[in-house]
Amino acid sequence: AQSVTQLDSHVSVSEGTPVLLRCNYSSSYSPSLFWYVQHPNKGLQLLLKYTSAATLVKGINGFEAEFKKSETSFHLTKPSAHMSDAAEYFCVGYTGTASKLTFGTGTRLQVTL
Amino acid sequence: SQTIHQWPATLVQPVGSPLSLECTVEGTSNPNLYWYRQAAGRGLQLLFYSIGIGQISSEVPQNLSASRPQDRQFILSSKKLLLSDSGFYLCAWSITGTETQYFGPGTRLLVL
């Protein structure tokens, strides 16, 4: 079955240090993958999306993700964390049916001083 | 530009009462529309999606229903709420034939 797997349910980093949120996808997926961010009690905001044009995708707020077919991974990174980055992050895949998406279980990013 | 609205933002309802949540999209036509539920500490579950007026597909059996009376209006309803209906309900839209979905601000529902 098609799926995306977020390897960490919770990640804690210090402000100013790099962020790495990990996501693996099933190899049968079409190459459309997304990262969304959700701040507490808010809707989801699109950070970036991969659609096979380039393996390194740059998103908003300094985030980027690299599509690695050999590792079936789509990890999200940021060089330097800010306090405002504290939120829930979802890795999402496209099923190819009526624009339906499949969501990972989410990674909660905590940023400490 | 396109915007998506949901209301109410927060709702507290007794068990057995009816429910109506509304979602509207502005700035686009014939969008695909989606209802998701996010239970506390869990991911998103797709409840319904619609590719056009009056066309609703249900993803999971439940006591909820959805309707699309107008092109850019999507309504989530229930005749009798259960405790398990508590959660954060998100509406989303996408351009027909494309993958990216854009989410509304959500409605927090607490059933007591």
Side-chain angles (χ1 to χ4, degrees), chain A residues 35 50 55-57 64-68 73-77:
Chain A
W35 276 98
Y50 167 75
T55 56
L56 183 62
V57 183
E64 62 182 35
E66 186 172 7
F67 177 79
K68 291 187 177 180
S73 69
F74 188 58
H75 300 336
L76 182 70
T77 60

Side-chain angles (χ1 to χ4, degrees), chain A residues 32 34 36 38 40-46 49 51 88 90 94 97-101 103-106, chain B residues 32 34 36 38 42-44 46 49 51 59 88 90 94-95 97-105 108:
Chain A
S32 290
F34 308 80
Y36 283 84
Q38 184 181 30
N41 295 310
K42 300 292 185 183
L44 276 70
Q45 181 183 19
L46 179 67
K49 68 176 181 180
T51 55
E88 186 94 17
F90 291 95
Y94 172 54
T97 304
S99 299
K100 290 196 289 183
L101 303 177
F103 287 79
T105 51
Chain B
N32 289 345
Y34 309 83
Y36 291 87
Q38 186 177 31
R42 300 174 67 178
L44 274 74
L46 179 63
Y49 70 93
I51 60 173
E59 290 295 296
F88 194 49
L90 290 159
S94 67
I95 297 172
T98 67
E99 310 97 349
T100 306
Q101 291 183 21
Y102 302 94
F103 287 80
R108 173 75 59 193

Side-chain angles (χ1 to χ4, degrees), chain B residues 13-30:
Chain B
Q13 291 285 93
V15 170
S17 63
L19 173 74
S20 180
L21 303 182
E22 189 164 345
C23 170
T24 59
V25 181
E26 297 177 354
T28 187
S29 60
N30 195 32

